[in-house]
Every structure is written in structure tokens, then in C-alpha cells.
Amino acid sequence: MPDTEQTGPDLPTPVMAIESSCDDTACAIVRADGEILAETTLSQSGHVPFGGVVPEIAARAHLAALPGLVRDTLARAGLRPRDLGAIAASCGPGLIGGLIVGADMGKGMAIALDRPFIAVNHIEAHALSPRLPGVAGNGAPFPYLLLLVSGGHCQCIAVEGVGHYRRLGGTIDDAAGEAFDKVAKMLGLGWPGGPAVERLALEGDPYAITLPRPLMGRAGCDFSFSGLKTAVAQKLPAEVRTALPRPLAADIAAGFQQAVSDIVIDRLGHALDMMERPTTLVVAGGVAANGVLRARLRAFAHEHNLPFAAPPLRLCTDNAVMVAWAAIETMRARRAAGLPIPDDIALRPRPRWPLAEMAQRMTATGTDIPA
């Protein structure tokens, strides 16, 4: 194998990573020390008329965009393909069509370049992103409490080490981001809904409209947003749904946003009781970009004497930097345990890939890691 940057010991980097699990096509090149040599992300616009992500459209858009995106990312980094040490790609969970496109692109490059291919769990990539140097000092130390809030996920996770995660609770129906999108559609705001709801909420009174807080106060830290979404629908007068008065829409948006943040803060309080004292409270995922929620989380962390860490907004949403970093963390942890760098060429992308299976990947003695 040609010479590459070695950090670690014998850690083949820089890593090129591909992210294509939903509707963002992304590529990044990251060194073992966390330096981002280049990153490129394309957000798909073809889903706007449908008010949500259409899997087939997403897969076709990934297929069209990825070759050019890879070339552009290499050019931005000033690298040639043979300068890469390893290739990584999100292989689950996510929309299977997009996962196959990204994984096959990565595997093809790995075979052509004779480099290891590392399959990355998309949720693990979010979970490890706060350890990227510069996000939380030199990286959030284990164990920390992660709140992952996005369009497809809403979970509290105890991150105890690379490959070692305890799911403390998660949504039993809609994810928070999905609820934002559906409420935005009800209010005629279009898609994606999160930023639109947040903007409109600035004009409203968060307490003018009474809305429920599902599961709030109950034991555990599971989430439920379906009932809240239904309650919003019931607040809309049937005769004006096509032309909702803006003041009413603003009050509903503000009330909904307040309800979501109240639920999240309550659930986090229970999550803290379910794990040993965490070093840090970490938030990741697209909904973490919401200003009201982020301010509430920062205040919650301060109240509980916890450092608060949130990746930059561009690294909260789906991105390839976190995928590359997860691959680097995996390689480093396996090297530290005296195990070989994994090669996941035979691993098939999976629409569901539980975090609980990551521990086995960290102890497998061969290079062909089970999934």
C-alpha cells in the first residue's frame, strides 16, 4: 500500500468519507488529528414540491452528484486519489437507496486504490462528532450524554466509549424534526419546516395557544411528538386552513416550538438520572440548530453544572466530516486494542443498524468486521 499519513500507530489517513443516508450528499477529507482538509455538501431541492424526502428522488440525486462531489473535494484538498489512506461511507441507518449509492461509490474507490473501506453507522457518527478537536476543546471526554434530535431520530444516548453506547430513551412515534416539518406544512410554510417554524415563531406568543406536552413528567426519557402534532392540527380552523391569519399561525408556531423544548428539557432531566455523572451534555442533529432549543439546553447544562457542547451548525446536520471522524475513531480504538484496521468491503448497507451492535465491531479480531 502506498505511503500515507500515519498517526497512531499505523493509522492510514487522511480519510475520505461519503454521507448519503437521507437527502444531503456530502464528501469530506479529514486527517487523524481532526484537521478538515476539505468538505462539500449538496442539499437536494427536488423534494420541496412533496413536502418531505422522497427516497427514490434522493437516491437518484446522490447517484448524479457523487462523482463530481468526490472530484471537487479532492481538488479543494489539493490531493490525488492515491494520497488517501482510507475510504469511509455511511452504511446505515437511513434510506436504503441512498446508502447503497454512497457505499458502492466508497467501495469502488477503496478497491481501485487498494485502501481499507470502513462502514460507518450514521448514528455513531453523530455520537462521536463532539470528540472532533475544536468542537468541545480537544474533544468531549467519555462518558457524555448525547441528545440527538433530527428529522429521523430523537434519542438520549450515554456515550461511554468508541463502540460503547447505551440508548437511554428515544421517540416512540415521530422524531422532533419530522414533527417540525409536518407542523410547517399545516401552517403553509413549506419544506424544510424547522427553520420556517422558528422564523415565524419570532412573531408569536409561545403561551397564547394551549398545547400538550406528551410524556412530560413520566419516568424514563422516551419522547412522543405525534400527539403534539395532532393537537396543532386541531387548533387550525377548518375554514381558514388555506389562508391562516399570520398572527394565529405565529402563535401556533411559537407554542409548538415551546412545547417541543419543554418536552426535551424534561426528558433530559430523567436521562441524567439514568447514567453515571456525564462529563458533558452534547447535542447533535439538525434540530439542534433551533435557537430556542439550543438556548434552553445551554441553560439546562449550566443548571446541572455540566459543560455544554454542540457542533457548529454545519456539523449538526448530516455531513461527511462526522463520518470520516467516526472512521478515524474506530481505527484508532482498534489499533489501541492491538486489533487490525477493519475492511468492510463485504458489509451490506442497512436501513436499520442498532448502535448496540457497535461493541461487537470493536472486538472482532479479523479485518472483515461483522455487522
Side-chain angles (χ1 to χ4, degrees):
M1 185 175 293
D3 290 338
T4 56
E5 172 205 346
Q6 302 290 321
T7 305
D10 301 328
L11 198 63
T13 63
V15 174
M16 170 174 276
I18 293 169
E19 160 58 27
S20 58
S21 64
C22 192
D23 63 321
D24 287 325
T25 314
C27 184
I29 302 173
V30 180
R31 288 167 43 102
D33 61 4
E35 181 183 354
I36 302 168
L37 301 182
E39 56 178 310
T40 313
T41 302
L42 294 177
S43 296
Q44 300 174 4
S45 59
H47 310 281
V48 173
F50 304 97
V53 178
V54 180
E56 179 63 21
I57 291 176
R60 290 179 180 273
H62 291 310
L63 186 62
L66 260 178
L69 204 65
V70 167
R71 288 192 295 268
D72 184 46
T73 306
L74 282 166
R76 292 187 184 194
L79 298 176
R80 298 161 298 181
R82 66 174 179 266
D83 296 324
L84 301 172
I87 312 295
S90 292
C91 287
L95 301 177
I96 190 61
L99 292 170
I100 290 173
V101 170
D104 282 359
M105 180 78 182
K107 289 179 181 181
M109 291 184 64
I111 292 170
L113 297 169
D114 189 25
R115 299 294 192 270
F117 174 77
I118 295 99
V120 172
N121 182 297
H122 178 82
I123 302 301
E124 183 175 36
H126 276 299
L128 294 176
S129 62
R131 289 179 50 78
L132 186 71
V135 172
N138 289 323
F142 299 122
Y144 53 86
L145 174 59
L146 169 69
L147 170 68
L148 176 59
V149 278
S150 68
H153 307 282
C154 190
Q155 302 180 41
C156 289
I157 301 169
V159 183
E160 298 169 337
V162 179
H164 299 284
Y165 314 98
R166 283 194 300 122
R167 185 179 184 273
L168 304 176
T171 182
I172 61 176
D173 41 56
D174 293 347
E178 181 183 0
F180 266 98
D181 284 342
K182 290 180 178 178
V183 167
K185 188 173 183 179
M186 294 178 201
L187 299 178
L189 301 180
W191 180 88
V197 169
E198 184 176 7
R199 286 192 298 269
L200 182 59
L202 293 172
E203 304 174 25
D205 177 355
Y207 302 103
I209 304 292
T210 302
L211 291 171
R213 271 70 169 160
L215 299 185
M216 191 163 166
R218 296 191 187 182
C221 61
D222 284 336
F223 299 84
S224 173
F225 296 104
S226 181
L228 174 60
K229 176 193 66 180
T230 300
V232 169
Q234 293 174 342
K235 298 293 181 180
L236 304 179
E239 66 277 8
V240 295
R241 285 191 181 183
T242 57
L244 194 65
R246 191 170 181 87
L248 175 59
D251 285 345
I252 291 175
F256 168 77
Q257 183 175 253
Q258 183 68 33
V260 170
S261 63
D262 286 347
I263 293 167
V264 168
I265 295 301
D266 174 78
R267 303 286 83 195
L268 272 180
H270 290 262
L272 280 181
D273 295 334
M274 298 171 67
M275 65 178 294
E276 295 295 327
R277 174 75 179 177
T279 64
T280 313
L281 172 63
V282 172
V283 61
V287 181
N290 181 278
V292 169
L293 179 59
R294 190 174 280 229
R296 294 282 305 274
L297 291 170
R298 191 179 300 277
F300 174 87
H302 179 75
E303 178 185 346
H304 290 84
N305 297 312
L306 283 173
F308 176 71
L313 297 184
R314 77 180 198 283
L315 300 183
C316 280
T317 54
D318 292 348
N319 64 90
V321 171
M322 70 178 189
V323 177
W325 183 249
I328 290 167
E329 289 263 39
T330 297
M331 291 192 294
R332 181 178 287 123
R334 285 183 58 83
R335 279 300 196 202
L339 297 172
I341 297 296
D343 192 351
D344 296 320
I345 285 290
L347 187 146
R348 295 179 179 179
R350 300 170 57 182
R352 298 184 182 276
W353 194 5
L355 276 180
E357 297 182 12
M358 296 302 101
Q360 183 184 6
R361 286 171 56 81
M362 295 309 301
T363 57
T365 56
T367 59
D368 189 6
I369 308 301

